[in-house]
Amino acid sequence: MAHTTRRQMLAQSGMGLASLAFASMFSEDEARAAALSVTAPKEPQFPAKAKHVIHLFMNGGPSHLDTFDRKVALEKYAGKELPVHLRTERKTGGAFPSPFKFTRHGESGLEISELFPNVAKSADELCVIRSMRADVPNHEPSLMLMNCGDARLARPSVGSWINYGLGTENQNLPGFIVLCPNGYPIKGPSNWQSAFLPGTYQGTHIDCKHSKVDKLVENIRNPGLGLEDQRHQLDFLSNLNQRHREQRPGEEMLDARIQSFELAYRMQTEASDAFDVNLESDKVRAMYGDTLHGRQMLMARRLVERGVRYVQCWHGAGQPWDSHDEIEKNHRRLAGQCDQAIGALLTDLKQRGLLDETLVVWGGEFGRTPTVELPMPGANAGKINGRDHNHHGFTMWMAGGGVKGGHVHGATDEFGFQAVEKPVHIHDLHATILHLLGFDHEKLTYRFAGRDFRLTDVHGHVVHDVIA
Amino acid sequence: MFRTIPHHPTLLLAFGVALLAMAAGAAAAKDSREDFFEKHVRPVLLNHCIDCHGPDTQESDIRLDARKFLIQDSEAKSLVVPGKPEKSKLMDVVAHTGNITMPPEEKLGETEIAAISTWIKDGAVWPAREEVAGAKTMGERLGDARSDHWAFQPVVRPKLPKVSNPSWIKTPVDAFILSKLDEQKITPSAPADRRTLLRRVTLGLTGLPPTKEQSDAFVADASPDAYEKVIERLLASPHYGERWGRYWLDVARYADTMGYQAGGKNTTFPHAYTYRDYVIDSLNNDLPYDQFLIEQLAADMLPEREDKSHLAALGFLTVGNRFLNNQREIVNDQIDLVGRGMLGLTVACARCHDHKYDAIPTEDYYSLYGVFASVTEPKELPVIGQPKREEDYQEYLKERAKRQQVVTDYVDKNFAEIAEDLRNQVGDYLLIERTSRRNGPYAGKKLLLTLKKEQVRRTAERLWKSYLDRREVRDNSLFGIWRELSAVPPEEFEQKAQQIIQRRVKQKKPINPLLREWLVEAKPASIVDVARIYHNLFAMVRKEALSQSDANKPLANADAEEFRRVLYGAASLLTLSPEDRRNNLDRKHRTRLLQLEGKVKALDNESEGAPPRAMVVLEKTNPVNPYVFVRGNPGRRGPAVPRRFLQVLEPSERSFQNGSGRLELAEAIASSENPLTARVLVNRIWMQHFGKAIVRTPDDFGIRGDEPTHPELLDYLASSFMDQGWSLKNLHRTIVLSNAYRQSSDVRPDVAKRDPQNVYCWRMNPQRLDFEPLRDSMLAVSGGLEREVGGRSVGSVQSPQERRRTMYSFVDRLFYPTILRTFDVSAPDQSIVKRHQTTVPQQALFLMNSPFVIEQASRMTRHPRMRSAEGDQAKVQVLFGLAYARDASPEEIASALSYLKTVKHGDPWNQLAQALLISNEFSFVD
């Protein structure tokens, strides 16, 4: 590659000392010469198990109290005012016990509700953090905080930082892929922005309700030209470019662009394969289920298998898990849509030996209140059977990628309103994810506008307790 | 688990910044070690040591704020022995391996200790140019910065240096370039050939490529001023303003939308385009740059003019993200914009604390905060011009009135429903009015008559509250007694109620006779009973009013009439301005309402007949007197600060006198006394022409920024720029007429070995076209480009039908097109001065497969010249001529012809044309 050439040139010319004068310009210019290397795989700061991340984003905010954080005390207080009452987005009333049954699973005896029977089969892989905290009970800032580490300002998303730090193992696919069926979640592409990092680190959004690859990835197919004809065209292009290049000896920056067309050509077939779940055996497809989410999770596995660094799977457009009313019905439906697929993903990753190097992260932007949401005209149809947003305490779980399995970290109070034991803020989660990938979150920085920015800004502590 | 930190400095450094990994070869350089110190060691000293071992206090006579205090001649006395962590006392102390352990409260982290060890091992490099920033008082730092830092020194026009070859000097630029080259014993490169030069300067000045005819003509023009003529033609082209305006729009983080807003609100700035056009027009008219800056900050404060078009300049302040209307963020964005965008200073870094490196106290940040927090935006933006055609305008007015009527009808209809409810539920709302108050005996109680809690309308509650608070209502004959009775605690009610009623009668305070009668008669035992009385009385009166032909007609009975007037007529509680009616609709009507209002806004946005308006700001009546927000937290007020300019640039520390001081700020920035403004600007113009800046951190001229590679050149450009009336066109002339600019870009291997980065400018740097000139070039050579300048924003850059220049496509800040980011176009999140340059396969995918590119290729093959060309060979020549403005060589023709034969499907000519459009020759400028 171009940058080797340049380095060799330096070595050959005995520039060791003479080049010192230019050292401050070196990285910029070298980066330009070897422009493609912005996505080349890089070593982390220290050895780490996790090499990929699959973030299962249950957007809207699933209730921890109905899934992974059982609170018996709510039954005692059913309908009555709780001794703790914290401010959330809307008014809530008395205690609302979970309508779902919890049972213990696996050797670890992890308590999981009936909503996730298939995920529960992998209970011994799950590292459940029951003491998550965010800052405010509103979707937009919480989405931004969860994805980009800042509730308001344009900052690079987690996936962008990780691609910036690690590059991607497969140059024929984007390093950060966002699978969201049926369109965009709230706040759209801001959720996977690269902000001041180069554009190549932004997430590539894919509407995975489609199955044809040209609908999945922008410009992935020429609408009129078959691969054979395109090959001829690129050969001719390469011919033009080589002639151009020969007239410009020493101009290595031209090589990167020449190379990019070959990569793009390969990306066309590679991407088609990566997203084509029909290439999987019937057995595997059946395991995931022939559903929207089954195909989504299967795609996610195929992508990490191919070296994609960060895959984010959103439950759907808008904010599906936002059950302000009819939580029993809605949560049952939503969990029903994804449980089999997530369960299959965990099992499948494990069977293929991929779980060790793939960190799976599950959760929403916050959880929900242990108290029932009070009716409000025009909001929740006057029904009194849902829960409001809750940023004071909620649950996320991780699996694989070097975390402890069958482990519970932290706790909310007796009623699940607030994280009280070993609270984990979103910044801490980010610090921990970076750590699992081999980065000190304080040292993965990027200088912009005079500051060395980082994902966790001035916050964040690695939660060492969850690391195996 | 303890993770060993590798002690090899190059390894550690590579960890710091992943991109640096590519520079591993140079990582041992002093600069990198300084960088390591700045990133990993200095913060540790600042955060953990300096308080007790710094300039103010030196416990145990130990000071850690400068290298000289740490290192003594004798190893035994030294705290640090460079290269030998094992012999350094500091290590023992921080690693807790000796008797003394520090810091006292808590041991440093493992990585921090390892960093200090690595730093010592690597020679304990300490940047010579400054001491620990935190160790000096701000006063000292300000003094040092003013006297020592290059960028704060006044701009003085340097003498032209002597050079080896005076005949090479075309403009003074050349003298400075050549003198540096002379020092290095490097000769400049030969001039580029004419075709190359024309392509370079045409794309450079207009962002569009020359045609083959222009190229041929230039090659053939033997007159001595052939090149000068070209420059004048290009500078006179309206495309010049578009090309250079686009870079200013990067600085101005221009967008056509305000970013995320809750609840389906229309986020479009329908008139942002007037700012964009102001920028283009100003550049085309060569508006002096100082004036250009002043207008963008304070056009509203300049003397009134007949022509209001300059007001559009204020879009600079208003086209930014609205951060969900969070004013602190909006102002922060504006401070950053002015700081980095105009002054090349990272002022916004001083939001939470004094600037870590530059002499910018946090007070300065809040001084500017006060200036920008003192602006307001008018509801109705001023019209600054005429729609193009009068018929369109009339049509627009008619349609707008129609759409506005739909909104009004919708509001009225739904408000009528609310009004009905209010009239029906008087008793309930009287109770709610009491219980929802913070004070009083009924505060927080749950009292209702007939409504269920969930049926209570917030709106109704609000309206009753504000009605009862009216001065003329508070103690009137209907509600005075209500107020008195509802002040009685419930347990005393029965006992006191009648007395209170009697007393009111006795004292001749107004009380409606009907009401009095009922109150006396019914003997209410609680406030709820009273509410019920009101409820029934109102119901009765209402029934009567409704039985008339018109409920708005007065009733004959004067006592009943008093009741009627609460509910009907001009003084009723339901008489609201149209805007209040709108704001009081139920939440459930909001979505639809916003949709309907959006249609009005859409018309302002889209109609040909809508007049252009300026996105102005105005001064608030009373300017904001700012306080420091300690740690950036508005809840923690620090000292009050005056509104004034940055102290480092204005040693007199004079406060602004005129209103918010915005105009004074603008004048201070645009002053020829300001050492930064002109330098920052000429540096950027140079950067765009040469592909490399003189100061390679174009938005940071502070201490951590780079120093200029050619300081005298920078100062020459800055001073002559100001002397020539801040004329940008003259600046361009000075640069592009120089021999330095006209050099060939060929690599000379012998020189490249000595100056691989071309620091000394011995050749022109080849450049890749940014996305806008690339896409615009495709449109231009295919003959599809629509050359109209300015106007409303248009559709997607990906659409094959969209034929305006790229800068006119609608910029949606929230849904910013992925393809633009893919091609390194900066997202308008904040001010961007220098774009990234990456090469990634997704760019190639766009070029290979997008309908836009395919359409341009196909349009090329439909070019009239293609139709008149006879034979394949001639057609190949036409396509090469269009794409590259040159003839194809015989080998190229042969290769093209043989390629055409391999094409199996589709139109071979289209595919050939596309290959030309996506080739390196098309994308790079030599």
Side-chain angles (χ1 to χ4, degrees):
Chain A
M1 254 176 75
H3 100 265
T4 326
T5 327
R6 176 155 299 206
R7 234 196 272 161
Q8 282 165 350
M9 189 184 87
L10 275 174
Q12 286 158 7
S13 61
M15 288 285 287
L17 285 172
S19 67
L20 286 187
F22 311 119
S24 63
M25 278 75 87
F26 205 82
S27 59
E28 177 206 349
D29 288 303
E30 185 114 8
R32 188 179 282 203
L36 275 173
S37 62
V38 292
T39 54
K42 302 174 192 94
E43 286 297 312
Q45 292 167 344
F46 46 81
K49 268 194 180 169
K51 294 186 167 46
H52 317 274
V53 178
I54 299 177
H55 181 189
L56 309 173
F57 206 127
M58 304 296 112
N59 48 323
S63 162
H64 51 297
L65 303 148
D66 299 303
T67 53
F68 296 94
D69 193 8
R70 182 182 184 194
K71 292 296 173 188
V72 187
L74 293 179
E75 280 153 38
K76 200 171 85 192
Y77 279 87
K80 284 185 231 141
E81 209 168 302
L82 287 179
V84 206
H85 195 89
L86 300 166
R87 252 185 74 129
T88 53
E89 190 185 57
R90 302 176 185 178
K91 280 188 182 163
T92 61
F96 182 16
S98 177
F100 304 108
K101 264 211 287 298
F102 279 73
T103 33
R104 293 192 178 275
H105 296 269
E107 285 178 27
S108 55
L110 211 62
E111 275 190 300
I112 300 175
S113 88
E114 60 181 302
L115 286 180
F116 285 106
N118 287 293
V119 173
K121 288 178 194 156
S122 296
D124 290 338
E125 305 296 337
L126 304 189
C127 177
V128 181
I129 305 177
R130 289 191 181 144
S131 53
M132 290 302 306
R133 266 187 192 174
D135 294 333
V136 290
N138 314 99
H139 292 288
E140 299 82 11
S142 299
L143 284 168
M144 288 298 100
L145 182 66
M146 183 62 76
N147 281 316
C148 309
D150 191 291
R152 289 188 310 257
L153 305 172
R155 297 284 177 258
S157 52
V158 181
S160 299
W161 277 111
I162 291 173
N163 270 272
Y164 161 65
L166 286 175
T168 175
E169 290 176 335
N170 185 341
Q171 297 295 325
N172 300 331
L173 285 170
F176 175 12
I177 294 178
V178 177
L179 303 172
C180 182
N182 300 312
Y184 282 143
I186 300 294
K187 290 218 74 171
S190 322
N191 289 295
W192 47 88
Q193 65 191 335
S194 63
F196 46 72
L197 293 178
T200 184
Y201 299 128
Q202 73 188 329
T204 298
H205 169 255
I206 281 162
D207 185 341
C208 53
K209 89 168 167 221
H210 300 292
S211 47
K212 290 231 168 76
V213 70
D214 47 345
K215 294 221 164 151
L216 286 167
V217 187
E218 200 169 48
N219 299 320
I220 195 70
R221 277 259 190 291
N222 188 300
L225 221 53
L227 280 177
E228 197 191 341
D229 276 323
Q230 195 170 47
R231 186 65 259 172
H232 290 310
Q233 190 191 33
L234 290 184
D235 289 343
F236 174 66
L237 172 70
S238 158
N239 203 314
L240 287 172
N241 284 344
Q242 283 312 332
R243 212 189 310 271
H244 179 259
R245 175 74 175 83
E246 279 158 21
Q247 290 159 7
R248 286 157 185 81
E251 210 58 84
E252 287 142 19
M253 64 190 276
L254 298 170
D255 297 335
R257 195 168 177 278
I258 293 175
Q259 206 184 350
S260 73
F261 283 94
E262 293 308 316
L263 285 173
Y265 182 75
R266 288 205 294 275
M267 193 179 261
Q268 298 182 115
T269 37
E270 179 93 6
S272 307
D273 277 6
F275 292 106
D276 190 352
V277 294
N278 292 320
L279 297 173
E280 294 284 336
S281 71
D282 290 351
K283 200 178 131 209
V284 169
R285 274 158 50 208
M287 174 164 84
Y288 281 84
D290 186 20
T291 62
L292 198 53
H293 290 85
R295 288 190 294 275
Q296 180 189 32
M297 298 299 160
L298 191 44
M299 272 183 207
R301 193 219 76 214
R302 291 179 65 82
L303 291 171
V304 294
E305 201 173 33
R306 282 164 176 72
V308 174
R309 197 59 81 182
Y310 197 93
V311 183
Q312 194 170 43
C313 299
W314 294 75
H315 191 97
Q319 42 197 37
W321 280 88
D322 195 22
S323 302
H324 284 282
D325 56 31
E326 301 280 15
I327 198 166
E328 179 171 359
K329 202 172 96 192
N330 287 324
H331 265 41
R332 200 182 288 287
R333 170 177 55 84
L334 291 158
Q337 286 166 355
C338 63
D339 168 57
Q340 183 188 348
I342 298 174
L345 176 69
L346 292 172
T347 312
D348 196 17
L349 286 173
K350 174 105 177 162
Q351 282 170 357
R352 285 166 199 263
L354 280 169
L355 191 58
D356 273 351
E357 60 177 65
T358 307
L359 178 68
V360 183
V361 181
W362 179 97
E365 62 270 40
F366 39 52
R368 308 205 78 87
T369 52
T371 44
V372 73
E373 179 166 320
L374 293 176
M376 192 159 76
N380 51 9
K383 293 171 182 159
I384 317 178
N385 53 8
R387 302 186 193 272
D388 190 21
H389 311 158
N390 182 6
H391 64 289
H392 304 286
F394 62 103
T395 297
M396 293 186 73
W397 56 253
M398 301 199 274
V403 298
K404 289 177 185 164
H407 181 78
V408 174
H409 179 86
T412 46
D413 58 29
E414 199 185 349
F415 313 105
F417 223 138
Q418 186 176 22
V420 288
E421 210 176 285
K422 299 184 192 163
V424 177
H425 190 273
I426 307 297
H427 296 306
D428 304 329
L429 178 75
H430 288 160
T432 309
I433 291 175
L434 288 183
H435 184 91
L436 288 164
L437 289 154
F439 289 95
D440 176 343
H441 68 105
E442 294 186 4
K443 294 194 179 135
L444 183 66
T445 63
Y446 188 85
R447 188 174 299 174
F448 172 75
R451 261 185 76 191
D452 292 328
F453 281 91
R454 49 182 243 228
L455 171 60
T456 49
D457 194 12
V458 297
H459 314 281
H461 296 281
V462 175
V463 186
H464 288 282
D465 283 2
V466 303
I467 298 167
Chain B
M1 190 188 113
F2 183 83
R3 289 188 194 278
T4 327
I5 297 296
H7 273 240
H8 193 276
T10 53
L11 271 179
L12 249 182
L13 280 164
F15 295 164
V17 180
L19 276 176
L20 257 178
M22 289 181 274
K30 184 155 165 285
D31 273 19
S32 306
R33 284 181 288 162
E34 287 187 358
D35 207 39
F36 180 80
F37 171 78
E38 294 293 358
K39 263 199 203 127
H40 305 291
V41 180
R42 193 198 289 275
V44 179
L45 296 178
L46 277 178
N47 292 336
H48 299 285
C49 315
I50 295 299
D51 281 352
C52 304
H53 304 289
D56 301 327
T57 324
Q58 293 101 38
E59 286 188 11
S60 313
D61 282 333
I62 287 175
R63 222 177 136 161
L64 301 174
D65 57 321
R67 195 173 190 264
K68 63 180 175 194
F69 301 123
L70 286 133
I71 300 163
Q72 309 292 334
D73 289 342
S74 96
E75 282 194 4
K77 284 186 192 164
S78 267
L79 290 170
V80 162
V81 182
K84 295 176 186 166
E86 68 284 358
K87 288 201 170 170
S88 301
K89 292 203 192 73
L90 183 67
M91 276 320 295
D92 285 346
V93 171
V94 297
H96 293 202
T97 47
N99 295 334
I100 305 168
T101 58
M102 284 282 161
E105 62 279 11
E106 197 186 358
K107 191 178 170 184
L108 296 177
E110 284 151 13
T111 45
E112 291 170 323
I113 295 170
I116 294 176
S117 168
T118 306
W119 170 67
I120 296 175
K121 196 170 171 138
D122 206 24
V125 170
W126 196 301
R129 60 172 179 250
E130 30 122 19
E131 306 285 292
V132 173
K136 292 204 170 183
T137 66
M138 186 44 83
E140 288 165 350
R141 287 172 61 189
L142 282 163
D144 289 356
R146 287 189 202 118
S147 62
D148 299 344
H149 184 56
W150 69 269
F152 297 135
Q153 306 315 307
V155 178
V156 180
R157 185 189 289 227
K159 282 210 196 92
L160 293 196
K162 290 219 161 55
V163 293
S164 57
N165 177 11
S167 71
W168 193 70
I169 296 173
K170 277 252 167 45
T171 75
V173 162
D174 295 325
F176 296 102
I177 294 294
L178 187 54
S179 104
K180 284 264 182 190
L181 286 171
D182 284 347
E183 277 172 31
Q184 299 297 318
K185 302 203 166 34
I186 299 174
T187 54
S189 291
D193 67 71
R194 283 205 159 194
R195 235 175 253 285
T196 302
L197 182 60
L198 184 73
R199 179 169 153 83
R200 180 188 298 165
V201 75
T202 308
L203 277 159
L205 288 176
T206 66
L208 296 170
T211 62
K212 178 141 188 306
E213 291 66 39
Q214 288 167 338
S215 195
D216 290 345
F218 183 55
V219 171
D221 189 346
S223 59
D225 62 344
Y227 184 57
E228 284 75 2
K229 285 188 293 189
V230 166
I231 305 302
E232 291 314 311
R233 170 172 64 80
L234 295 172
L235 287 173
S237 155
H239 299 315
Y240 157 79
E242 295 173 325
R243 158 76 169 161
W244 289 85
R246 183 53 257 180
Y247 289 115
W248 185 257
L249 295 179
D250 277 14
V251 172
R253 82 291 181 240
Y254 172 86
D256 291 297
T257 68
M258 62 184 74
Y260 185 80
Q261 292 283 325
K265 198 175 156 197
N266 184 332
T267 61
T268 306
F269 291 135
H271 300 287
Y273 78 94
T274 63
Y275 171 68
R276 184 240 288 138
D277 289 353
Y278 163 83
V279 171
I280 296 172
D281 294 344
S282 300
L283 295 181
N284 279 334
N285 298 329
D286 205 19
L287 181 71
Y289 181 66
D290 54 349
Q291 200 57 32
F292 181 61
L293 297 186
I294 290 173
E295 289 182 356
Q296 290 179 79
L297 291 175
D300 58 313
M301 298 172 80
L302 295 173
E304 288 230 10
R305 296 183 208 168
E306 184 84 18
D307 174 15
K308 303 268 177 249
S309 58
H310 68 296
L311 289 177
L314 292 164
F316 182 72
L317 295 175
T318 51
V319 298
N321 193 324
R322 292 307 171 88
F323 303 99
L324 284 162
N325 304 323
N326 179 321
Q327 201 209 12
R328 291 187 306 279
E329 295 305 338
I330 294 173
V331 172
N332 182 60
D333 181 47
Q334 290 164 339
I335 292 173
D336 183 48
L337 186 64
V338 168
R340 287 191 304 116
M342 291 181 169
L343 293 167
L345 277 185
T346 54
V347 183
C349 289
R351 181 180 187 177
C352 306
H353 44 67
D354 290 346
H355 198 291
K356 286 242 163 101
Y357 304 97
D358 291 320
I360 305 172
T362 193
E363 286 83 0
D364 277 5
Y365 177 94
Y366 290 95
S367 291
L368 297 184
Y369 186 92
V371 174
F372 292 113
S374 298
V375 303
T376 163
E377 289 177 74
K379 263 216 129 89
E380 178 103 350
L381 296 174
V383 171
I384 52 164
Q386 297 289 319
K388 285 202 184 107
R389 294 174 349 138
E390 180 62 21
E391 310 90 278
D392 288 343
Y393 183 49
Q394 291 309 326
E395 180 64 27
Y396 155 79
L397 288 178
K398 229 167 68 194
E399 178 64 23
R400 194 175 197 284
K402 213 164 84 191
R403 293 189 189 189
Q404 187 56 51
Q405 192 57 47
V406 176
V407 175
T408 313
D409 290 350
Y410 183 79
V411 170
D412 290 351
K413 178 176 140 255
N414 289 299
F415 189 77
E417 197 182 290
I418 294 170
E420 205 47 26
D421 193 43
L422 259 81
R423 293 180 180 122
N424 272 329
Q425 303 296 343
V426 174
D428 288 288
Y429 287 112
L430 281 174
L431 286 171
I432 289 167
E433 197 273 332
R434 289 286 106 186
T435 55
S436 66
R437 297 222 172 228
R438 214 174 294 163
N439 303 311
Y442 299 97
K445 297 251 157 52
K446 288 169 189 159
L447 303 175
L448 284 172
L449 290 183
T450 60
L451 282 181
K452 289 204 186 92
K453 197 170 173 190
E454 61 271 20
Q455 295 172 317
V456 172
R457 277 178 202 267
R458 285 276 168 82
T459 310
E461 187 183 324
R462 269 201 306 274
L463 288 175
W464 267 107
K465 219 175 222 166
S466 73
Y467 181 76
L468 291 173
D469 278 346
R470 290 189 200 172
R471 196 177 317 159
E472 69 277 14
V473 174
R474 213 180 290 176
D475 202 33
N476 72 4
S477 61
L478 285 185
F479 296 106
I481 185 68
W482 167 254
R483 192 172 283 269
E484 283 193 63
L485 289 174
S486 62
V488 179
E491 58 277 11
E492 300 170 23
F493 190 91
E494 270 204 273
Q495 177 203 340
K496 287 198 177 160
Q498 287 303 324
Q499 288 171 20
I500 290 171
I501 295 165
Q502 295 309 332
R503 195 176 63 212
R504 196 169 174 92
V505 175
K506 232 185 276 165
Q507 291 175 349
K508 301 223 162 75
K509 283 196 188 165
I511 182 161
N512 179 294
L514 211 54
L515 179 63
R516 185 190 60 206
E517 203 174 299
W518 281 48
L519 282 172
V520 171
E521 198 86 349
K523 297 210 171 37
S526 71
I527 196 71
V528 177
D529 290 348
V530 180
R532 193 171 292 114
I533 291 169
Y534 275 92
H535 196 81
N536 294 338
L537 269 166
F538 271 101
M540 194 182 79
V541 171
R542 194 160 168 252
K543 204 167 156 198
E544 197 169 325
L546 287 172
S547 72
Q548 306 181 114
S549 55
D550 177 2
N552 287 314
K553 256 173 48 190
L555 293 170
N557 180 325
D559 300 340
E561 171 62 10
E562 278 192 345
F563 283 91
R564 192 200 61 89
R565 263 187 266 147
V566 176
L567 303 182
Y568 297 97
S572 81
L573 89 156
L574 295 164
T575 308
L576 300 181
S577 72
E579 195 181 331
D580 283 342
R581 282 206 294 276
R582 179 223 175 262
N583 292 338
N584 276 304
L585 286 199
D586 284 343
R587 209 184 148 108
K588 67 178 175 194
H589 294 129
R590 239 184 114 70
T591 315
R592 179 76 186 133
L593 177 66
L594 287 171
Q595 270 172 10
L596 294 175
E597 288 176 338
K599 286 187 180 167
V600 179
K601 218 177 162 187
L603 194 70
D604 291 345
N605 195 5
E606 291 150 15
S607 163
E608 284 294 320
R613 290 169 191 270
M615 289 180 64
V616 296
V617 294
L618 302 172
E619 289 274 280
K620 280 185 184 158
T621 326
N622 298 310
V624 169
N625 295 316
Y627 291 85
V628 169
F629 296 155
V630 178
R631 298 252 126 217
N633 179 350
R636 290 178 62 193
R637 264 193 178 186
V641 290
R643 292 184 306 277
R644 67 177 174 207
F645 196 39
L646 301 173
Q647 296 173 57
V648 72
L649 295 172
E650 178 57 68
S652 79
E653 299 175 12
R654 192 179 56 88
S655 301
F656 293 143
Q657 303 299 322
N658 171 13
S660 71
R662 192 155 38 85
L663 180 57
E664 288 155 279
L665 171 67
E667 285 165 346
I669 291 171
S671 158
S672 51
E673 303 290 302
N674 188 313
L676 292 170
T677 309
R679 280 188 179 121
V680 164
L681 190 272
V682 300
N683 184 54
R684 285 186 200 154
I685 304 281
W686 182 276
M687 174 175 82
Q688 302 299 356
H689 279 304
F690 280 88
K692 271 182 184 146
I694 302 171
V695 178
R696 301 198 172 189
T697 49
D699 62 347
D700 188 0
F701 276 42
I703 280 166
R704 282 237 289 184
D706 282 4
E707 293 191 7
T709 57
H710 294 72
E712 294 84 15
L713 172 60
L714 183 73
D715 280 13
Y716 172 80
L717 289 170
S719 63
S720 72
F721 174 55
M722 292 190 281
D723 292 348
Q724 296 175 34
W726 303 79
S727 161
L728 288 161
K729 286 193 179 177
N730 265 339
L731 177 62
H732 286 295
R733 284 187 191 100
T734 310
I735 293 173
V736 300
L737 286 170
S738 71
N739 254 335
Y741 177 84
R742 298 193 217 182
Q743 291 177 94
S744 152
S745 67
D746 287 350
V747 175
R748 288 145 63 200
D750 53 325
V751 188
K753 269 187 197 165
R754 290 159 55 200
D755 179 11
Q757 310 308 323
N758 193 21
V759 171
Y760 295 107
C761 200
W762 50 266
R763 64 162 182 147
M764 174 49 90
N765 297 303
Q767 293 194 63
R768 197 186 70 185
L769 292 180
D770 283 334
F771 183 69
E772 295 92 337
L774 175 64
R775 181 177 172 279
D776 295 351
S777 291
M778 289 183 183
L779 284 164
V781 305
S782 74
L785 181 67
E786 276 180 33
R787 288 175 185 265
E788 189 191 343
V789 174
R792 289 206 159 68
S793 295
V794 299
S796 160
V797 294
Q798 296 230 57
S799 157
Q801 282 78 41
E802 201 45 79
R803 297 192 287 127
R804 303 275 321 266
R805 286 192 78 167
T806 309
M807 76 175 315
Y808 295 118
S809 79
F810 187 86
V811 184
D812 187 339
R813 169 169 272 131
L814 182 56
F815 291 90
Y816 196 71
T818 306
I819 195 67
L820 294 182
R821 293 293 285 130
T822 300
F823 276 92
D824 299 316
V825 182
S826 35
D829 296 326
Q830 56 266 94
S831 182
I832 297 284
V833 173
K834 188 178 170 188
R835 296 184 182 182
H836 292 288
Q837 200 170 74
T838 62
T839 305
V840 292
Q842 284 91 337
Q843 295 163 352
L845 283 178
F846 171 79
L847 297 167
M848 288 156 56
N849 298 335
S850 80
F852 173 81
V853 177
I854 292 166
E855 171 58 22
Q856 303 324 310
S858 140
R859 202 194 307 274
M860 260 173 95
T861 65
R862 302 194 304 265
H863 198 279
R865 243 173 276 161
M866 279 297 273
R867 268 178 262 140
S868 54
E870 281 179 31
D872 287 357
Q873 193 159 335
K875 285 183 167 179
V876 170
Q877 276 295 7
V878 170
L879 290 181
F880 270 73
L882 289 172
Y884 302 145
R886 66 168 173 87
D887 290 325
S889 69
E891 298 83 54
E892 283 170 330
I893 295 177
S895 143
L897 291 177
S898 85
Y899 163 61
L900 287 169
K901 289 199 199 91
T902 64
V903 177
K904 293 219 177 75
H905 310 280
D907 181 345
W909 290 98
N910 286 357
Q911 292 167 38
L912 173 64
Q914 187 184 12
L916 299 181
L917 288 181
I918 67 178
S919 66
N920 274 358
E921 182 169 351
F922 196 83
S923 255
F924 283 92
V925 183
D926 289 319

